[in-house]
Amino acid sequence: MSYIQKPTAFHPALKKNKLGLTRRDYEGAMSTLCAGCGHDSITAAIIEACFKLDLPAHRLAKVSGIGCSSKAPTYFLSRSHGFNSVHGRMPSITTGANLANRDLIYLGVSGDGDTASIGLSQFCHAMRRQLNMTYIVMNNGCYGLTKGQFSATNDKTSPSKKGESNLFEAIDLAQIAIQLGAGFVGRSFSGDKAQLVPMIEAAMSYNGFAFLDVISPCVTFNNHPGSTKSYDYVRGHNSVLDKLDFVPAEEEIEIDYAEGTTSEVDLHGGAKIHLHKLDTGYDPTNADQAINTIRTRLNKGEVTTGLLYFDGREQDLHETLGTSERALNQIPISELCPGSKNLAPINDRFR
Amino acid sequence: MGRALPRGLKLAKSMDSSVKEMQRGMPATDVGDPQYFHKVVDCQWACPAHTPVPEYIRLIAQRRFTDAYMLNWESNVFPGILGRVCDRPCEPACRRGRIEDKPVAICRLKRVAADYRDDISDRLPAIPTEGNGKRVALLGAGPASLTVARDLLPLGYSCTLYDKDPKAGGLMRTNIPSFRLPEKVLDEEVYRIVDFGVEAKFGEEITSLKSLLDEDYDAVFIGTGAPKGKDLSLPGRKEANDKIQIGISFLTSVAFGHVKKVGKRVVVIGGGNTAMDCCRTAVRLGGEDVRVTVRSPRKDMKASAWEIEEAEQEGIPIYDNHSPKAFVHENGKFKGVLFEIMRAEYDDNGKRKLVATGEEVLFECDDVLMAIGQDNAFDWIERDLGLEFETWGMPTVDTKTMMSTLPGVFFGGDSAWGPENIIVAVAHGHQAAISIDLHCNGKDLSENRPAPGHSLISQKMGIHEWAYENDYADTGRIDVPHAELASSLKDLKVEVELGFDDQLAFDEAERCLNCDVQTVFTPQLCIECDACMDICPIDCINFINNAPETELRQGVRVPATNDTQDLYVSEALKTGRIMAKDEDVCVHCGLCAERCPTGAWDMQKFTYMETQAAKSCQRNLDAYVHWSKTR
Ligand SMILES: Cc1cc2nc3c(=O)[nH]c(=O)nc-3n(C[C@H](O)[C@H](O)[C@H](O)COP(=O)(O)OP(=O)(O)OC[C@H]3O[C@@H](n4cnc5c(N)ncnc54)[C@H](O)[C@@H]3O)c2cc1C
Ligand SMILES: Cc1ncc(C[n+]2csc(CCOP(=O)(O)OP(=O)(O)O)c2C)c(N)n1
Ligand code: SF4
Ligand code: SF4
Ligand code: SF4
Ligand SMILES: [Mg+2]
């Protein structure tokens, strides 16, 4: 952490978005995480993505659990709604908030401990229900906040900083997400903003459950030479499927990639994703192939990154449940509450 | 990043490899070259004498006024004078002006050091009682010659100072009005040098260089300035002779008390600083309707913005696009000046042409002050001495050594290349003194020139602790309090600016961005975590593929369009990328170094000093460079 506040001065030529805001307007408080933490880098990517999406800050709700990663929402979009909840309970808080107010954009931030251990069931059910949210796991393979114990995503081959070996196989959150019905599944690396920023933009524009597993080295506890979640390891074993460009609605972009290597994915809101495939055989809409590819590469020690899976139906919990079109706070109390006259016959049905 | 060469073009081998070099990208920056970081210290770089500005601003913030004064005195000889009237090239250069609206009030902070310092007599260089036997003649007692004297007297030279005027100071005395520069301040700093033991020959005009050379001086320094005011030969000029005064002569007459009054209606012709001093002086000598007239559009006026502002604050109107056409007389009596109204037209290259609109206007007046520029006057230098002149009547002078083509004869100040300002005269004086000393010792003037002193030292004291104040003040520039207009307009001797008090000085000093505390990068330590890039408030830092400079300048986060500022480029990092930092608007906040997990960034204070001819004239500068070095 740093003692001084970040100077408010910014580059006089800093770009402004359609709202007339600069990227600096999307910042939050100064980070208190360790210097060099991958989480700060993901924070910067979220700031960049929200700036590029021309997002009005008050349309966003940031929700998190407990952990260094779950502290991160304090460090971006200080003018948004936020809820720093209890350990592993981010999905349920988001579910409640989303059902009450479907008009907000929900961004859940969690850690690998928060998601893959204490919050695993909550995570699974939010996906199964296809809650409309973006769920980012800042994945460092350890419990950073409580001094670096192994988390459930740490590879079995990856010992602790002091050399103790890890006894259990790792959970791959991305594979679980594809299996359990998340509509948009991506994996990226905190050290690769070129890939990460458009991925966040696309995920936040997706209608349905979008899951991003972002490898995020913990400089203090899990960036040692034996770690498979270190800067060096991920850079050395990053198996990139595709690079994506996010094209907002009403914008056209000339594609200058070789024919057959680029495909276009349409989002319901009108935006597009241009996928520049490095692996031309890969089809992100095929769940079986996705899981196969990830597993095969994992066995070779590779980390598969890119848009792993995409479901064009963009299914969302509100549709499934047929809930009100309007946010509850937009419905007058006279409509919201049926009144005792109408309540009596309902109660009678259960007598 | 290979780019194909045009087909059919075959290159010689060596050329081929240099093209490849270029295609690979920029070479890594050599921060061991003192000029690299010197350039980042915008104010110090812009100061002709390279005064260590950020260091003395810090000393002022620490209330070490005497130390701040001495650092200035050693660098620029006249801190009290310059703290009031310096042309301040440092301020337009100041980084703060590129980030927010206005630069740090560097010049006014210098004055604070002069105003609040203690007695310095025990900190001045000792003058040897026994001379070194060498005699130097200094012609003209302006700032250039005085600087040479300051630098040479402590070395035991005997210095004879000539001036046609009865007192020393040059234009600082005769032309800069006392409401900007009080006589007391001028006398103190000028006579400090004269009292070092100059042999003064004041009131003696030099009419022949030849006869002076016959006096067998070991060296001669010509600091006679540009003493001739320009005139306009327009219809009616001769008949109006008693109504028209040349600006610089007028100011001189006022300074020596020969002129005490002007007519009620005064027209000033000209748009430079001399015009501003003329009009403000006229207002104080009884002028009620004083007008400034300029040929060009207002935005092209030569005067400094702040001088124009001061004149306007005193209620003096400026008529731009007014080109004088004739001096008008009626019934044998002077009536006024006839002007043609001009219009600026610009061609496709943006080149300006002034065209007459056909409209004319007569400004009736009692007096005219002609302030349209100065010329040099070298009619007293015989042309057969071996001292060469250029076609336009200026001597040939070496830009580094200040020597003319006649060995042993040196020039400096306005006499060298035409009218400049005091700080340029001082810088010339320092270089000429070094050359004279080398010349008198039979050494080569170029090869034996002393190198500048410099050091680069880490400021790290703890995890988030630096030996400098990295939390600069976010406030706007503080205006200097002024004397009440009514009283200052009545009396020529009332100083208009009151100067900062110590609290205002502190607040203004805190605006300084510490451009001398450098971001130093060690590529071997970098793990490319992006933390520095993410935290940087100004988006200076990039991790990017190397490319030729123009490409790199476009490719960084915010395009680096200010070509006067360098890109700091590292060796290749582990990923093959490089770190490229745009120095342009870095605020030296140190956050990159605070957020770096490996110490790849460090904040290091860069010190730089111009070596002086006499070691005893750089004791404070030495301490500043070496104390930093040995800490
Ligand atoms: C009206 C006016 C206002 C100015 N205001 C500023 C300002 O605010 N800030 C700033 O930085 N600069 C200012 N300047 C410019 C500045 O004064 C000069 O650039 C500076 O003084 C030049 O110094 P110098 O040593 O070269 O010569 P000068 O100061 O010109 O001194 C030359 C001396 O040589 C003497 N001399 C000349 N010929 C002979 C001879 N043949 N024999 C004997 N003596 C001779 C002259 O009498 C004079 O004393 C101003 C100039 C003018 C005209
Ligand atoms: C109910 C509960 N159990 C345990 C803890 C202790 N605890 C705090 S953070 C944390 C793990 C955080 O790991 P992760 O989510 O990966 O976050 P990181 O710090 O690595 O970013 C644990 C176990 C807690 N705060 N609450
Ligand atoms: S901010 Fe300070 S150090 Fe930087 S240019 Fe301005 S005065 Fe000089
Ligand atoms: S000191 Fe570092 S963080 Fe601060 S502006 Fe300069 S490069 Fe950016
Ligand atoms: S913070 Fe340090 S280690 Fe990280 S990228 Fe910057 S210089 Fe490299
Ligand atoms: Mg973790």
Side-chain angles (χ1 to χ4, degrees):
Chain A
M1 66 175 282
S2 300
Y3 293 138
I4 68 164
Q5 286 304 305
K6 188 163 172 173
T8 51
F10 55 85
H11 198 298
L14 196 60
K15 255 198 245 140
K16 291 193 170 157
N17 66 11
K18 285 191 186 131
L19 301 179
L21 301 173
T22 70
R23 189 178 46 70
R24 296 290 309 273
D25 295 315
Y26 288 83
E27 287 179 349
M30 278 287 267
S31 172
T32 58
L33 302 181
C34 303
C37 177
H39 299 355
D40 280 338
S41 218
I42 303 173
T43 292
I46 293 171
I47 290 170
E48 183 76 24
C50 292
F51 161 76
K52 285 191 164 162
L53 286 170
D54 305 308
L55 194 81
H58 66 282
R59 300 310 305 146
L60 182 81
K62 339 170 259 186
V63 192
S64 62
I66 295 293
C68 297
S69 34
S70 293
K71 285 170 72 177
T74 309
Y75 315 135
F76 59 81
L77 280 95
S78 52
R79 290 169 209 182
S80 293
H81 306 280
F83 200 125
N84 190 182
S85 73
V86 281
H87 205 13
R89 270 46 181 164
M90 179 273 277
S92 17
I93 301 292
T94 315
T95 306
N98 190 322
L99 286 176
N101 186 348
R102 60 190 294 168
D103 292 343
L104 296 180
I105 295 170
Y106 292 91
L107 176 60
V109 172
S110 179
D112 43 320
D114 197 60
T115 291
S117 294
I118 194 168
L120 188 63
S121 66
Q122 301 233 333
F123 169 62
C124 292
H125 287 286
M127 287 192 290
R128 182 172 155 267
R129 292 172 183 145
Q130 286 155 324
L131 187 67
N132 185 11
M133 73 175 296
T134 301
Y135 192 122
I136 296 182
V137 168
M138 300 182 172
N139 186 354
N140 55 14
C142 68
Y143 298 171
L145 192 71
T146 55
K147 302 281 176 281
Q149 300 85 345
F150 291 128
S151 80
T153 65
N154 196 55
D155 291 318
K156 197 174 175 200
T157 53
S158 178
S160 76
K161 192 176 178 180
K162 284 195 176 146
E164 296 135 348
S165 45
N166 183 13
L167 302 178
F168 305 106
E169 285 294 342
I171 291 175
D172 182 355
L173 293 170
Q175 288 185 54
I176 296 187
I178 298 170
Q179 271 172 0
L180 293 184
F184 182 114
V185 181
R187 178 147 45 214
S188 189
F189 169 44
S190 68
D192 185 1
K193 287 206 183 61
Q195 183 190 49
L196 180 56
V197 173
M199 195 183 281
I200 296 173
E201 283 181 82
M204 288 180 70
S205 308
Y206 183 82
N207 188 59
F209 195 95
F211 175 68
L212 301 183
D213 178 25
V214 189
I215 316 292
S216 175
C218 169
V219 272
T220 305
F221 298 112
N222 206 7
N223 193 38
H224 50 87
S227 166
T228 58
K229 297 250 182 320
S230 67
Y231 283 107
D232 285 349
Y233 185 89
V234 181
R235 287 213 169 93
H237 299 80
N238 191 347
S239 168
V240 185
L241 283 175
D242 43 43
K243 297 206 155 143
L244 51 169
D245 270 341
F246 177 76
V247 188
E250 298 145 25
E251 256 176 52
E252 256 320 317
I253 281 191
E254 282 293 319
I255 311 171
D256 56 357
Y257 285 79
E259 212 178 322
T261 61
T262 300
S263 64
E264 196 173 273
V265 177
D266 290 307
L267 293 170
H268 280 183
K272 290 184 179 72
I273 304 169
H274 284 161
L275 275 183
H276 316 296
K277 295 189 194 162
L278 302 181
D279 181 338
T280 43
Y282 192 77
D283 172 13
T285 62
N286 182 336
D288 293 342
Q289 192 197 10
I291 289 181
N292 246 329
T293 307
I294 298 169
R295 288 181 65 93
T296 321
R297 295 186 185 196
L298 192 62
N299 288 338
K300 289 193 273 177
E302 292 173 7
V303 187
T304 314
T305 64
L307 177 59
L308 305 175
Y309 177 68
F310 182 84
D311 180 348
R313 286 173 298 178
E314 297 194 41
Q315 180 74 24
D316 145 31
L317 178 59
H318 282 283
E319 250 171 87
T320 313
L321 295 181
T323 51
S324 156
E325 292 283 325
R326 283 179 294 169
L328 300 190
N329 62 6
Q330 299 301 309
I331 303 174
I333 196 76
S334 55
E335 268 178 66
L336 206 53
C337 173
S340 35
K341 227 210 231 141
N342 293 318
L343 192 60
I346 295 174
N347 280 343
D348 282 344
R349 294 216 308 265
F350 299 105
R351 290 222 162 86
Chain B
M1 274 251 151
R3 206 189 295 138
L5 289 165
R7 242 183 309 161
L9 192 66
K10 218 175 148 228
L11 291 166
K13 231 191 181 149
S14 62
M15 174 94 163
D16 192 29
S17 65
S18 78
V19 167
K20 270 203 194 122
E21 190 80 26
M22 260 180 53
Q23 287 176 340
R24 263 214 311 272
M26 284 182 76
T29 302
D30 174 16
V31 296
D33 173 1
Q35 298 307 336
Y36 179 76
F37 281 139
H38 183 195
K39 194 172 165 191
V40 177
V41 197
D42 298 286
C43 46
Q44 189 174 9
W45 174 260
C47 174
H50 303 307
T51 307
V53 175
E55 179 73 1
Y56 83 65
I57 291 182
R58 256 192 304 276
L59 291 172
I60 288 168
Q62 295 166 11
R63 304 181 62 85
R64 290 169 60 188
F65 303 121
T66 314
D67 291 332
Y69 183 84
M70 288 311 296
L71 208 54
N72 269 289
W73 185 77
E74 291 184 349
S75 303
N76 56 50
V77 190
F78 304 107
I81 296 170
L82 291 167
R84 290 170 167 82
V85 301
C86 186
D87 230 15
R88 29 180 155 146
C90 54
E91 291 196 16
C94 172
R95 173 171 305 244
R96 185 94 193 197
R98 295 202 294 278
I99 289 159
E100 289 148 61
D101 47 348
K102 289 187 177 159
V104 174
I106 302 172
C107 183
R108 290 336 184 226
L109 287 171
K110 191 194 305 290
R111 170 174 171 178
V112 167
D115 285 357
Y116 297 122
R117 73 184 157 83
D118 299 325
D119 178 41
I120 56 157
S121 37
D122 60 336
R123 298 177 69 159
L124 295 173
I127 307 299
T129 40
E130 198 90 332
N132 69 357
K134 309 275 183 195
R135 293 166 59 245
V136 180
L138 307 172
L139 314 190
S145 292
L146 288 166
T147 300
V148 179
R150 198 283 312 246
D151 288 359
L152 293 182
L153 285 164
L155 291 172
Y157 284 87
S158 135
C159 296
T160 311
L161 185 58
Y162 293 87
D163 204 293
K164 63 176 158 51
D165 288 335
K167 286 183 105 180
L171 289 180
M172 300 193 296
R173 179 178 305 281
T174 58
N175 266 242
I176 300 183
S178 48
F179 57 83
R180 288 207 289 129
L181 176 58
E183 202 173 355
K184 189 172 157 285
V185 177
L186 176 73
D187 281 347
E188 182 174 14
E189 289 185 333
V190 165
Y191 278 89
R192 180 183 297 148
I193 298 168
V194 174
D195 294 344
F196 277 175
V198 161
E199 191 193 337
K201 298 218 168 170
F202 298 155
E204 273 184 44
E205 177 155 6
I206 306 284
T207 49
S208 160
L209 180 60
K210 191 166 191 299
S211 46
L212 194 96
L213 291 178
D214 288 343
E215 292 181 36
D216 269 346
Y217 284 104
D218 293 288
V220 174
F221 176 80
I222 298 177
T224 49
K228 216 169 68 190
K230 284 190 178 147
D231 201 351
L232 274 180
S233 58
L234 295 175
R237 169 70 183 86
K238 260 206 199 96
E239 301 85 313
N241 212 13
D242 60 330
K243 298 288 176 193
I244 299 174
Q245 297 185 69
I246 301 299
I248 64 168
S249 317
F250 164 73
L251 291 169
T252 305
S253 307
V254 174
F256 286 120
H258 305 320
V259 168
K260 294 202 169 78
K261 250 188 111 38
V262 295
K264 284 204 164 52
R265 301 166 307 165
V266 180
V267 165
V268 178
I269 298 176
N273 285 339
T274 304
M276 297 305 120
D277 281 338
C278 283
C279 69
R280 295 176 70 194
T281 300
V283 164
R284 284 163 172 78
L285 295 183
E288 285 171 11
D289 173 5
V290 178
R291 306 172 173 200
V292 173
T293 62
V294 204
R295 268 187 92 220
S296 64
R298 198 198 148 101
K299 65 172 175 49
D300 298 339
M301 276 173 71
K302 285 222 185 73
S304 315
W306 55 88
E307 303 259 348
I308 300 175
E309 206 176 289
E310 302 260 314
E312 289 191 319
Q313 274 169 13
E314 294 178 358
I316 301 166
I318 292 168
Y319 294 85
D320 66 349
N321 297 316
H322 277 55
S323 178
K325 194 177 179 193
F327 297 99
V328 181
H329 300 257
E330 209 175 71
N331 306 326
K333 254 189 85 186
F334 177 68
K335 190 150 191 244
V337 191
L338 183 69
F339 291 94
E340 257 184 322
I341 309 295
M342 312 299 282
R343 188 178 58 227
E345 281 177 5
Y346 299 86
D347 69 12
D348 291 344
N349 302 322
K351 216 177 150 227
R352 192 194 75 186
K353 207 171 75 189
L354 288 180
V355 286
T357 57
E359 198 186 326
E360 289 181 354
V361 57
L362 176 72
F363 283 175
E364 292 184 26
C365 62
D366 307 310
D367 282 307
V368 177
L369 299 175
M370 190 91 82
I372 53 168
Q374 286 159 259
D375 276 330
N376 293 78
F378 294 120
D379 43 5
W380 53 277
I381 300 183
E382 295 80 356
R383 301 299 142 117
D384 57 358
L385 301 172
L387 199 160
E388 280 170 28
F389 279 82
E390 320 262 321
T391 36
W392 48 90
M394 293 297 284
T396 305
V397 181
D398 185 280
T399 50
K400 231 199 196 141
T401 66
M402 310 305 294
M403 193 158 81
S404 69
T405 55
L406 182 58
V409 177
F410 299 82
F411 282 80
D414 290 356
S415 75
W417 296 284
E420 281 282 354
N421 54 45
I422 301 167
I423 189 67
V424 167
V426 169
H428 288 173
H430 284 321
Q431 291 312 316
I434 289 170
S435 297
I436 291 171
D437 187 36
L438 291 171
H439 174 79
C440 290
N441 285 295
K443 291 192 180 144
D444 186 89
L445 302 195
S446 297
E447 267 167 37
N448 295 309
R449 283 195 106 62
H454 61 94
S455 61
L456 187 63
I457 301 298
S458 177
Q459 297 296 289
K460 199 169 174 72
M461 307 222 299
I463 295 188
H464 307 111
E465 263 183 289
W466 302 103
Y468 75 107
E469 173 69 51
N470 60 332
D471 199 6
Y472 67 88
D474 218 359
T475 43
R477 179 177 166 121
I478 301 172
D479 290 333
V480 182
H482 277 49
E484 211 194 316
L485 200 59
S487 66
S488 65
L489 288 189
K490 261 195 246 134
D491 185 349
L492 201 61
K493 295 222 183 308
V494 171
E495 188 175 12
V496 171
E497 287 193 5
L498 300 176
F500 288 138
D501 63 24
D502 54 352
Q503 183 60 45
L504 290 179
F506 177 80
D507 293 344
E508 184 62 23
E510 287 297 287
R511 293 183 67 231
C512 172
L513 299 173
N514 305 291
C515 302
D516 59 339
V517 181
Q518 308 296 345
T519 56
V520 181
F521 184 71
T522 309
Q524 297 77 12
L525 293 179
C526 175
I527 57 169
E528 298 177 68
C529 68
D530 282 2
C532 53
M533 176 181 99
D534 293 337
I535 195 72
C536 175
I538 308 286
D539 295 86
C540 306
I541 300 172
N542 301 269
F543 294 93
I544 189 171
N545 289 325
N546 203 351
E549 180 161 357
T550 39
E551 230 170 273
L552 213 49
R553 281 183 173 276
Q554 283 309 309
V556 291
R557 290 159 72 82
V558 181
T561 50
N562 184 353
D563 286 338
T564 65
Q565 297 283 323
D566 286 333
L567 285 187
Y568 179 177
V569 166
S570 79
E571 307 278 353
L573 303 170
K574 259 194 201 157
T575 57
R577 299 180 300 176
I578 54 155
M579 186 292 301
K581 180 196 164 203
D582 181 7
E583 297 281 14
D584 186 14
V585 282
C586 164
V587 292
H588 301 262
C589 63
L591 285 177
C592 47
E594 287 192 21
R595 299 303 294 168
C596 178
T598 66
W601 284 111
D602 190 25
M603 302 307 290
Q604 302 188 357
K605 182 158 112 186
F606 173 75
T607 65
Y608 182 94
M609 62 177 263
E610 286 285 315
T611 302
Q612 307 290 314
K615 285 269 166 245
S616 56
C617 284
Q618 62 175 50
R619 284 190 307 230
N620 291 269
L621 285 168
D622 275 337
Y624 143 73
V625 171
H626 294 289
W627 181 81
S628 305
K629 209 185 252 176
T630 50
R631 264 192 74 241

